[in-house]
Amino acid sequence: MLNTKLGFILAGILSFAIIPASYAETEDEKLSFAGALEETLGHFWAIEKNLDDHNAELALVHATHPIAELYLSMKPELKAANPEFDSKIQQTLMDLGKKTGSNVTREDAQMAIDDAKEIIQEARVLVVGEELSNDVTFKAKLIQGLLKTSISEYEEGVKNGQIEMMAEFQDGSAFVWRSQQIFDEIKSNLPEHESEEIDEFYSDLWGAYDAKTNPDQIATFANGIINKLDMAIGKQTGETDLLAYVENIKNLLNQVKSSYAQGDKDTAQSLATKAYLDNFEFLEKPIKESNPELVDELETMMRIELRDMIKNDAPISDVNRQVDDILAKMDTVAKIVPEFGTISMMILVIGIVCTIALVSKSKNMAILPRI
């Protein structure tokens, strides 16, 4: 327990470290630029898929999106870095439509797409740099940005289980695809448990796309991946009353029982997923400090067992019993999380005190006369 508390104290002190504003702004700009590159690569993938399906019209839509929607956001950085290269990438994106059009062979179209991919990579190295481009945290942020955009694209494209705007639906799927490609590049550098869960949530997300499910469920799975990535890279989430998550879980699980009893399997599955992804995920870390076995039990019961029971049409009585068992364990969680809140406040105070002490010491040393 002493080592754990010391770790918390160190974390509190380190949280007051000051990052130069200029560096943060520069990285944000590079993240925005790299995000536009990733969306461009997503559109390239959509071009390939549509060409394979002999849909030249939609292929053209995605061939024109990068120059119409993304290039202008990248132009300032490209022009500042290398005006000649800026002209080159602009011309490449402008020509992509006619080089992948219906009057071009599939092989020639692929050559044009591959050439464009190489230029995108050159732009990445030129503006972002190889070191930052390969940084795990930076890549995780790119994944999160793609997934957030995919949520809004899907919401525009799908209404009432039907695709109403195919281009937007394909945009959403293209950005999910690209985010997963990046995730595969960094998964070996992330904690194994989080990586396994993210893989599972990607599977759920693609299943939801295939089913043309409601946008809320798409957002639940996508945000689940986003939250898991935050945990994997050690990003602290905003302070929230942990007991609120406990109450949310209880309310959602009671709704699971009601929906499942009424034969609404899809809603029950969505509610069970939200209970875990949108709420329990934020309780895992604080509970683990005092009761890691409880975390493992609840994770298995909520993420795996309950969802599998709903998916496999288990008897209502079995689902109700599973939910009741989870609710009973959540009562135990409710007794644990306030203790964590007290410890967190103590750490915060210690961190502030230590920081003030260090600053005061520095000032005192600064006014000592030189010898």
Side-chain angles (χ1 to χ4, degrees), residues 115-135:
D115 288 343
K117 288 178 182 178
E118 289 184 13
I119 291 175
I120 292 299
Q121 181 57 27
E122 290 177 35
R124 186 194 307 279
V125 174
L126 179 66
V127 175
V128 181
E130 290 190 12
E131 183 177 354
L132 188 58
S133 293
N134 293 315
D135 181 76

Side-chain angles (χ1 to χ4, degrees), residues 6 28 35 46 75 89 93 105 122 135 143 167-168 215 217 239 245 248 251 260 278 281 289 327 368-370:
L6 286 173
D28 284 345
K75 184 177 178 63
I89 195 170
L93 295 177
T105 67
E122 290 177 35
D135 181 76
I143 295 170
E168 282 69 19
Q217 194 160 351
E239 285 193 21
Y245 289 124
N248 287 343
N251 290 333
Y260 194 75
D278 292 351
E281 292 280 80
E289 298 299 331
L327 291 173
L368 290 175
R370 294 179 180 272

Side-chain angles (χ1 to χ4, degrees), residues 304-367:
I304 301 174
E305 294 175 350
L306 178 59
R307 295 172 68 222
D308 283 350
M309 291 170 74
I310 296 171
K311 188 184 302 182
N312 297 323
D313 298 316
I316 294 174
S317 58
D318 290 353
V319 171
N320 287 344
R321 189 179 305 111
Q322 180 77 3
V323 169
D324 289 340
D325 288 345
I326 296 171
L327 291 173
K329 290 185 181 297
M330 291 309 301
D331 289 336
T332 303
V333 171
K335 297 175 183 176
I336 294 175
V337 289
E339 296 176 5
F340 178 81
T342 303
I343 294 172
S344 296
M345 184 58 67
M346 180 181 70
I347 293 162
L348 181 62
V349 172
I350 292 173
I352 294 171
V353 170
C354 291
T355 303
I356 293 172
L358 288 171
V359 171
S360 298
K361 183 177 180 181
S362 298
K363 287 182 178 179
N364 290 336
M365 292 178 66
I367 61 176

Side-chain angles (χ1 to χ4, degrees), residues 61-77:
V61 171
H62 291 287
T64 57
H65 272 191
I67 189 65
E69 299 179 352
L70 298 169
Y71 168 70
L72 287 179
S73 68
M74 298 186 285
K75 184 177 178 63
E77 288 83 359

